[in-house]
Amino acid sequence: MKLSEEKHYINTIFYKVEQTAKYCKYLGNQVFQKLNMPLTLDEFSTLDTIKIYGEICQRDLAKLILKDRPSTGRILNTLEERGYITRFVDTKNNRLVRKMSLTAEGEEILTKATKVLRKYVDNLPEFMTQDDIKQLENSIQKFKQSLEKEVEMNI
Amino acid sequence: MKLSEEKHYINTIFYKVEQTAKYCKYLGNQVFQKLNMPLTLDEFSTLDTIKIYGEICQRDLAKLILKDRPSTGRILNTLEERGYITRFVDTKNNRLVRKMSLTAEGEEILTKATKVLRKYVDNLPEFMTQDDIKQLENSIQKFKQSLEKEVEMNI
DNA sequence: ATAATATTGTTGTAAATGCAACAAATTAAT
DNA sequence: ATTAATTTGTTGCATTTACAACAATATTAT
């Protein structure tokens, strides 16, 4: 890469990652709308993450779903209001924390949404080969770990 | 990758790209604050993009800086108020469009900001090898092109 | 010729995000 | 023992973002 190109933001890897992430986010939201999903993408990924990790505190969940603590609390409020999760107080390292777990309705809607989504994804035209995806995952993992040393995530 | 892992959002490549992009964005803003930059990251990348592409219309600029048209217009308003750009009406495909160009002050602040930033980047500890970066760029390029076929960017 | 469609930019508004401040409780420091 | 610092979650607010609607103009369709 020539120096003259290198020095412009638009040619940096930072720009390319952010651009690709925007595509991911827009595509995800568009698909959720097109499929008339009963959940938003954020709600889906939150339920899905709770499903994997079981009972974790809100802050740990926030780190996983890539939101800050206020946003996470608000998402959980709406999921709780709609009866998809229940919240309760527990302790972690001798500290009071709020944890949550999926209700039967939460499990049900998550399963339903997952099925609809899977059907859509399976019918997409050829996307990338498994090798290409693996390669991208390795590269981006390395990059992310480099960033982690420098960035302060205040969550 | 096992099917049981594959089906959770947090294990998808979409999640990993979005996570890495957040790191990029936070790190960028943190560095700009730490260095007491005279511009925000958004303002810098806007000026930098105008510098490369010269006189382009707002919509084309919007696509480049990854903002929608209203956001782009507002960023340009503040840059114009501060005297870093001038705006004028021109035509593109027989249509009236607003284009912009850097003023002397705009050139100056961009050069100054670029220098400060370059000095910081050059003094960072070893980040990734050029080969690793090249590999990541290739992988993410392929991924982005796949997404482009599916996503509708309403800019 | 008239109507429908498309492009560009602006305005307005609802939603999401970022962030500082706070409360409550625990741990560490002096 | 008292103070200081830390962790977790909430509240409030300013900023940013997303998106629909509009105005102005040009192109296309009928």
Side-chain angles (χ1 to χ4, degrees):
Chain A
M1 185 186 292
K2 284 184 298 182
L3 202 66
S4 61
E5 291 175 3
E6 191 182 9
K7 75 179 168 192
H8 289 292
Y9 180 69
I10 219 163
N11 297 313
T12 63
I13 190 67
F14 298 92
Y15 173 83
K16 289 169 186 170
V17 169
E18 285 192 52
Q19 184 187 34
T20 307
K22 291 219 170 187
Y23 281 35
C24 289
K25 192 175 166 187
Y26 290 155
L27 180 59
N29 286 325
Q30 281 167 23
V31 167
F32 267 64
Q33 280 198 349
K34 191 160 76 180
L35 296 179
N36 273 313
M37 295 285 272
L39 300 165
T40 65
L41 176 54
D42 276 345
E43 289 162 355
F44 172 79
S45 66
T46 301
L47 289 181
D48 197 46
T49 303
I50 297 172
K51 169 87 176 178
I52 301 179
Y53 286 88
E55 300 169 352
I56 57 178
C57 77
Q58 290 192 191
R59 188 170 205 172
D60 289 341
L61 178 63
K63 290 172 187 164
L64 288 168
I65 64 174
L66 311 178
K67 307 274 178 193
D68 63 4
R69 281 177 288 155
S71 300
T72 302
R74 286 167 190 139
I75 291 174
L76 292 175
N77 286 344
T78 75
L79 289 175
E80 189 178 29
E81 281 164 21
R82 289 199 270 157
Y84 296 150
I85 63 167
T86 51
R87 288 204 269 186
F88 51 91
V89 172
D90 200 349
T91 58
K92 187 188 100 176
N93 302 332
N94 275 354
R95 273 173 204 287
L96 290 179
V97 293
R98 293 187 85 183
K99 296 186 178 179
M100 72 294 300
S101 64
L102 298 183
T103 63
E105 291 85 356
E107 294 267 7
E108 192 182 345
I109 199 98
L110 177 60
T111 302
K112 191 182 156 203
T114 302
K115 269 186 194 155
V116 174
L117 204 57
R118 174 157 301 280
K119 192 176 166 194
Y120 174 82
V121 170
D122 286 347
N123 286 328
L124 277 182
E126 50 171 321
F127 196 57
M128 289 175 76
T129 68
Q130 284 300 313
D131 278 354
D132 283 342
I133 294 179
K134 202 74 203 162
Q135 177 63 63
L136 173 54
E137 282 178 344
N138 288 339
S139 287
I140 211 158
Q141 174 76 5
K142 222 181 270 186
F143 183 55
K144 200 199 71 182
Q145 283 173 350
S146 300
L147 293 181
E148 265 171 350
K149 293 172 198 152
E150 297 294 329
V151 72
E152 185 67 40
M153 297 296 285
N154 308 305
I155 295 180
Chain B
M1 187 186 287
K2 283 184 298 180
L3 202 67
S4 61
E5 290 175 5
E6 193 182 7
K7 74 180 169 190
H8 289 291
Y9 179 70
I10 218 162
N11 296 313
T12 63
I13 191 65
F14 297 90
Y15 172 84
K16 289 169 187 171
V17 169
E18 285 193 50
Q19 184 187 33
T20 308
K22 291 221 169 188
Y23 281 34
C24 288
K25 191 174 164 189
Y26 291 155
L27 181 58
N29 286 325
Q30 282 167 21
V31 167
F32 267 64
Q33 281 198 349
K34 192 160 74 180
L35 296 179
N36 273 312
M37 295 285 272
L39 300 164
T40 66
L41 177 54
D42 277 344
E43 290 162 354
F44 173 78
S45 66
T46 301
L47 290 181
D48 197 44
T49 303
I50 297 172
K51 169 87 177 178
I52 301 180
Y53 286 87
E55 299 169 353
I56 56 177
C57 78
Q58 288 192 192
R59 189 172 203 170
D60 290 341
L61 178 64
K63 290 172 186 162
L64 288 169
I65 64 172
L66 311 178
K67 307 275 177 191
D68 63 4
R69 282 176 289 156
S71 300
T72 302
R74 286 165 189 143
I75 291 174
L76 292 176
N77 286 344
T78 72
L79 289 175
E80 190 178 29
E81 281 165 21
R82 289 200 268 158
Y84 296 150
I85 62 168
T86 52
R87 288 203 271 187
F88 52 92
V89 172
D90 200 348
T91 59
K92 188 188 98 175
N93 302 330
N94 276 351
R95 273 173 203 288
L96 289 180
V97 292
R98 293 188 84 183
K99 297 187 176 178
M100 71 295 300
S101 64
L102 298 184
T103 63
E105 290 86 357
E107 293 268 6
E108 191 184 345
I109 198 99
L110 177 59
T111 303
K112 191 181 156 203
T114 302
K115 268 185 194 155
V116 174
L117 204 57
R118 176 157 299 280
K119 191 176 167 194
Y120 174 81
V121 171
D122 287 346
N123 285 328
L124 278 180
E126 50 170 323
F127 196 57
M128 288 175 78
T129 68
Q130 283 301 313
D131 279 353
D132 283 342
I133 293 179
K134 201 74 203 160
Q135 177 64 63
L136 173 55
E137 281 179 343
N138 289 339
S139 287
I140 212 159
Q141 175 76 4
K142 222 181 272 185
F143 184 55
K144 200 198 72 182
Q145 283 172 351
S146 300
L147 293 181
E148 266 171 350
K149 294 172 197 153
E150 298 294 328
V151 74
E152 185 67 40
M153 296 297 286
N154 309 305
I155 294 182

